[in-house]
Structures are given as C-alpha cells and as structure tokens.
Amino acid sequence: MVKTFRTISWRETLVSAVIAATLVTPVAAQSKESADAFMKSYTDTWNQHDTQALATEYWDTKPTVEEEKSQLDAMFDRLVSQGYDRSTIHEIQTCMTDDTTAWAGMKFTRNTTDGGVIGDDPQASHYVLGWTDEKGWRVKSVKGADAADELTCPE
C-alpha cells in the first residue's frame, strides 16, 4: 500500500497556524481583559470565603502570605459575626493605568444569611492591581469609595 500526501495551500497553513495560536495563547498578560478576568475570579473566591486562596492567589498587601491570610481571616470573622453570607456584585470597571498597574472599581452589596444587607446598599471600593510575570495580577491596595459616584478610571 502506497500512501500519498496532499500538499496544503498557504491559506490552509495560515488558518491552521492561527487556530493553533489561539488554542495556546492565553489572554494577554497585563491587559484590561486579564484584569477583568482577575477581578471576576477574585469576587468568586471572595464569595467562597477562601482566605487561603485569597492570600496566595489574589492579595499582595502584606510582607508574607501568613500575614495576608491573618488579615483576611480577621476581616471575614468580623463580617460573619454580622451575619455576612456573600457579596452581590453590581458593577466592576477596570482600566490599565500603566504597563504593570491596573485600577478596578467595584459596586457591591454585602448580603446576610437572613436576606438582609450589611452597611450601605450598594457599597463601592477602588482597587489598585499590580502585575508581575511571576504572580500575574495581585491586589496591591483597596479603599472604600462613594457608591453614588460613577466608577471611572483615574486620569
């Protein structure tokens, strides 16, 4: 039995190369799209109350992961003592502020286990995200904001 091979055209080669590249190319590293994906994943992890994952994969505001986790454990202990269950996310806006820094604004409601809310409804926070090739995006700082204000990227 003789096998024959068909030659492929340059168009077929190009299409195959583009398809292969899209299968292995992740979202551009430090991009608005990757910051959006990071914040979505972060809020999902937050709602699981997973302080270990938050400390190791999302936050980078303390010198060590242990200090980060300790701070997050204390924050969740305080929230849970008030009946906290999860946060409903109303809006997240992100933008790149330089090549390795992004800003994210979020409006949310802190829901309790009995159907109530903690604090103002909604609340808002502003995040500064930092990028490193080793870790990807990490929360570098967060501060409360006025939920009545529109979420707009800093200039």
Side-chain angles (χ1 to χ4, degrees):
M1 168 183 229
V2 175
K3 290 188 178 185
T4 58
F5 295 95
R6 176 177 81 82
T7 57
I8 59 174
S9 72
W10 67 269
R11 286 185 181 108
E12 291 172 307
T13 303
L14 179 62
V15 168
S16 296
V18 168
I19 290 170
T22 24
L23 293 175
V24 297
T25 305
V27 172
Q30 59 268 33
S31 65
K32 179 186 181 326
E33 293 77 17
S34 66
D36 289 340
F38 173 84
M39 289 302 294
K40 168 69 173 112
S41 179
Y42 163 74
T43 58
D44 290 344
T45 304
W46 177 273
N47 278 332
Q48 295 168 10
H49 303 204
D50 187 347
T51 58
Q52 182 63 41
L54 289 167
T56 58
E57 299 170 30
Y58 296 94
W59 285 70
D60 190 11
T61 64
K62 299 288 182 199
T64 67
V65 169
E66 293 75 20
E67 290 173 89
E68 203 77 72
K69 184 174 183 322
S70 177
Q71 175 185 335
L72 288 159
D73 285 339
M75 187 182 328
F76 273 98
D77 287 348
R78 183 178 44 79
L79 287 169
V80 169
S81 75
Q82 297 172 60
Y84 179 73
D85 180 37
R86 59 181 291 114
S87 293
T88 299
I89 308 304
H90 304 293
E91 180 182 8
I92 299 175
Q93 294 291 329
T94 62
C95 63
M96 297 296 295
T97 55
D98 67 36
D99 289 344
T100 59
T101 309
W103 174 90
M106 182 188 318
K107 291 189 181 182
F108 58 93
T109 299
R110 287 194 171 140
N111 305 104
T112 60
T113 55
D114 65 3
V117 299
I118 297 172
D120 295 335
D121 183 16
Q123 297 180 48
S125 292
H126 293 172
Y127 295 78
V128 173
L129 308 178
W131 174 270
T132 64
D133 290 336
E134 299 80 35
K135 294 181 178 181
W137 288 116
R138 293 295 187 267
V139 173
K140 301 304 265 180
S141 69
V142 62
K143 66 178 182 177
D146 188 341
D149 292 342
E150 188 174 327
L151 296 177
T152 55
C153 292
E155 294 183 18

